[in-house]
Amino acid sequence: MATSPAGSVSGAARRRRIAARTRLDFWFDGILLLGYTLAYSYGFTGIGIHEWLGLGLGLALLFHLALHWDWVLRTTRKLTSPRGHDRVIWVVNLALLVGMTLCILSGILISRVALPYLGINLTRIGPFWSTVHDTTAEITLGLVPVHVALRWRWLVRIGRRLVAWRAR
Amino acid sequence: MKFLRHLAAATLVVAAVVAAGLAWGHFDPGPLPGPGQGGPGQVVVRGQAVKRLPPGFKIRPGLRVISIGPENLGLTSMFQAVNLPVLRDTVEIEAGVIAAVVILEIGQRRWRRARRARRLADVTRPPR
C-alpha cells in the first residue's frame, strides 16, 4: 500500500510519540520502584528522607495511576471476560492502591518531621495509625514486586529496545 | 486535557480510599486510648510540642524524658555502612518475590501451551 510523504511523516511522528510515552512509563516506573525501595528501607534513609520520600511517592503514585487510567477503565469493563491474566493484575493493583494509600495516609498522620516542618501539628493521633502504617508497609512490600513481576515481559521487551536504541 | 481528566478521576478514587481509611480509624474501637507508642508507662510527644524543658523544671519521680532534643533526621544514615543491610534486605525480598512470580508465570504459560497442543493433537488426529 502506497503512503503519501505527509502520511509517512505523521506515521513516523506518531511512532516517535508512542515511543516517548513508552519511555516515560518505563523510566517513571523504574524511579517509582527505586523510590519505594528507599522509602521502605527506613533504617537506611533515616526519618527525614523517609517522610519526604513517602510524600513524594504519594504524588508520584497519583500521577502513575492517572497515566494508566485508560488501562483501569478498559480492564474494569472486561472483568467478566474469561481471560484470567488481566483479572489477577486488576485485583493485585486494587489491593496495592488500597494498601499504598493507607500506608501513605497513616504515614502522614504519624509524621514527626515533614508535617511539623509544614506547620501542621496533628494531635490525638493514637497508636492505631502506627499499626496501620507498619501493616500496610509489610503488605505493599509483598505486592509491589508482584505488581512489577506481572509485567516482566513488557519490562524486558522495553528494556532490550532501550538498550538497543542507546547502542545505535 | 485528557490527562487532567484522568488525574481528577484517579484523585477521586484515592480520596475515596482515604475517606474509608479515616472512617476506619475514627470508628475503630481498638487501642486508641492506650498507653502510647513508647509502651506501658511511656508517652510519646510528637513534633514541636516540647522544644526544651523550662529552666528549673523538675520531672516528677517515676517519669523519665528520653529525648528532649530536636528530632534526629538521620540524614547521614545513608552514608553509614552499618545501615546498608536494611536496604539489602528490602532489595532481596523484592527480588525474591519477583523471581517467584516470574517462575510461576513461565510455568503456567508452558503448562497452558502444552495443554492446548495436546487438545489440538487430539482434534487433528485421524480416526482409527
Side-chain angles (χ1 to χ4, degrees), chain B residues 105-124:
Chain B
E105 209 262 349
I106 290 174
Q108 194 196 23
R109 185 174 276 224
R110 279 190 184 167
W111 176 77
R112 233 186 288 143
R113 273 190 186 160
R115 195 180 60 171
R116 205 180 303 141
R118 269 201 309 275
R119 273 189 194 162
L120 204 65
D122 286 346
V123 172
T124 54

Side-chain angles (χ1 to χ4, degrees), chain A residues 107-166:
Chain A
I108 290 170
L109 291 175
I110 63 170
S111 166
R112 298 205 300 260
V113 176
L115 245 57
Y117 180 83
L118 296 171
I120 305 166
N121 282 301
L122 297 174
T123 51
R124 298 179 63 197
I125 298 296
F128 170 81
W129 289 109
S130 293
T131 312
V132 170
H133 191 63
D134 293 346
T135 311
T136 50
E138 299 293 327
I139 291 169
T140 55
L141 182 65
L143 288 175
V144 165
V146 174
H147 176 75
V148 173
L150 285 171
R151 288 282 181 225
W152 74 274
R153 284 177 203 279
W154 180 85
L155 288 168
V156 170
R157 199 173 63 237
I158 302 303
R160 273 185 186 160
R161 268 171 59 186
L162 281 171
V163 168
W165 183 66
R166 289 209 180 274

Side-chain angles (χ1 to χ4, degrees), chain B residues 21-101:
Chain B
L22 288 175
W24 179 32
H26 185 72
F27 294 111
D28 184 77
L32 279 174
Q37 270 175 273
Q42 293 186 17
V43 177
V44 176
V45 181
R46 293 190 183 290
Q48 306 295 317
V50 178
K51 280 189 176 160
R52 68 179 74 84
L53 292 177
F57 185 87
K58 293 237 167 70
I59 298 168
R60 213 173 59 202
L63 284 179
R64 188 162 61 98
V65 176
I66 294 171
S67 169
I68 57 168
E71 181 80 55
N72 177 18
L73 300 181
L75 291 176
T76 55
S77 63
M78 279 203 284
F79 305 109
Q80 291 164 5
V82 71
N83 295 324
L84 210 59
V86 177
L87 180 67
R88 203 187 53 214
D89 285 351
T90 310
V91 173
E92 277 175 4
I93 292 169
E94 286 179 343
V97 175
I98 288 174
V101 174

